[in-house]
Amino acid sequence: MGISSSSSASQSTIVRDSLRSQELDQVQRRARGTGSRQSGSDSAVISDEGQLLQKLSKAVQDSPDVREDKVAELRAAVAKGRYQVSYSEIAKAILASRTK
């Protein structure tokens, strides 16, 4: 049994950080755009794209960073003595993480 790198967890983190960055950019753009408006009543309208971003952001935040099914599978293999470490795969993953 081989272990793939924890790319799904890191991809989840990258997506979450990207969505947060996009949301921050949108808020900052809206704040700059409202500076020249006259005082009165304020209102906000969230576009369909903004609503989708909110839903995606919530889904990413709610998703687990740990794949419990994979962890349980690995624990069982270790307990039964069937887990074998592929040192070459570990070395490849370390080198790949250093070159990014």
Side-chain angles (χ1 to χ4, degrees):
M1 170 196 269
I3 298 178
S4 62
S5 64
S6 61
S7 63
S8 63
S10 63
Q11 288 174 351
S12 175
T13 303
I14 290 169
V15 170
R16 184 180 308 128
D17 292 344
S18 177
L19 287 172
R20 286 181 184 157
S21 176
Q22 289 174 2
E23 290 172 350
L24 180 60
D25 288 345
Q26 286 181 345
V27 169
Q28 289 173 341
R29 274 188 256 128
R30 282 190 215 122
R32 285 192 297 265
T34 60
S36 62
R37 292 186 183 166
Q38 296 178 356
S39 62
S41 65
D42 292 331
S43 65
V45 177
I46 300 175
S47 67
D48 291 339
E49 184 180 89
Q51 291 175 6
L52 178 60
L53 280 173
Q54 283 181 328
K55 288 178 186 177
L56 289 172
S57 177
K58 176 90 170 103
V60 169
Q61 289 173 352
D62 292 345
S63 68
D65 286 338
V66 176
R67 293 176 42 202
E68 296 295 333
D69 58 330
K70 193 70 169 174
V71 171
E73 184 181 321
L74 291 171
R75 280 190 180 146
V78 168
K80 293 177 182 177
R82 292 186 291 129
Y83 177 74
Q84 295 180 356
V85 176
S86 171
Y87 297 109
S88 64
E89 290 298 318
I90 292 172
K92 287 177 189 176
I94 291 171
L95 291 173
S97 71
R98 296 289 182 179
T99 59
K100 290 182 181 181

